[in-house]
Amino acid sequence: MEPSIPFVILMGVGVVFIGLICIILLSMAMSAICRTMGDKTPAPAAAVPAAPAARAEAIPNRQAMIAAIAVAVAEEMGTDPAGIRILSIKKL
């Protein structure tokens, strides 16, 4: 005896939804496990703002970085890098 078409359709859709529900339950369980493991680390101390001189040392080769940004912008715009002047750089 051959199974009917509606039975095959319902079995296929049912299997897909049961699989999706299993994936959701597994991801919720992993999230709970990760949340409990993450609570064991101590909270970091309050950060003290760095002096401007220390910030300049954070980027050792600032001129090379500015040149690379200028070349990337010029490439995107389709112009010559010599015609681009970068006035300031702000971290986003």
Side-chain angles (χ1 to χ4, degrees), residues 29-78:
M30 288 299 294
S31 175
I33 291 170
C34 290
R35 222 177 299 123
T36 59
M37 290 179 138
D39 291 339
K40 294 179 182 177
T41 58
V48 178
R55 188 166 186 232
E57 293 173 2
I59 304 171
N61 200 353
R62 190 172 180 89
Q63 294 298 327
M65 182 185 70
I66 291 173
I69 292 171
V71 169
V73 170
E75 181 70 28
E76 184 66 30
M77 293 173 57

Side-chain angles (χ1 to χ4, degrees), residues 2-90:
E2 202 171 305
S4 66
I5 293 176
F7 176 75
V8 172
I9 292 172
L10 289 176
M11 285 299 291
V13 171
V15 168
V16 167
F17 279 110
I18 289 173
L20 291 174
I21 290 170
C22 289
I23 290 172
I24 290 170
L25 293 174
L26 285 173
S27 66
M28 288 171 62
M30 288 299 294
S31 175
I33 291 170
C34 290
R35 222 177 299 123
T36 59
M37 290 179 138
D39 291 339
K40 294 179 182 177
T41 58
V48 178
R55 188 166 186 232
E57 293 173 2
I59 304 171
N61 200 353
R62 190 172 180 89
Q63 294 298 327
M65 182 185 70
I66 291 173
I69 292 171
V71 169
V73 170
E75 181 70 28
E76 184 66 30
M77 293 173 57
T79 62
D80 186 38
I84 294 180
R85 188 162 304 232
I86 296 177
L87 301 176
S88 66
I89 296 176
K90 294 179 184 177

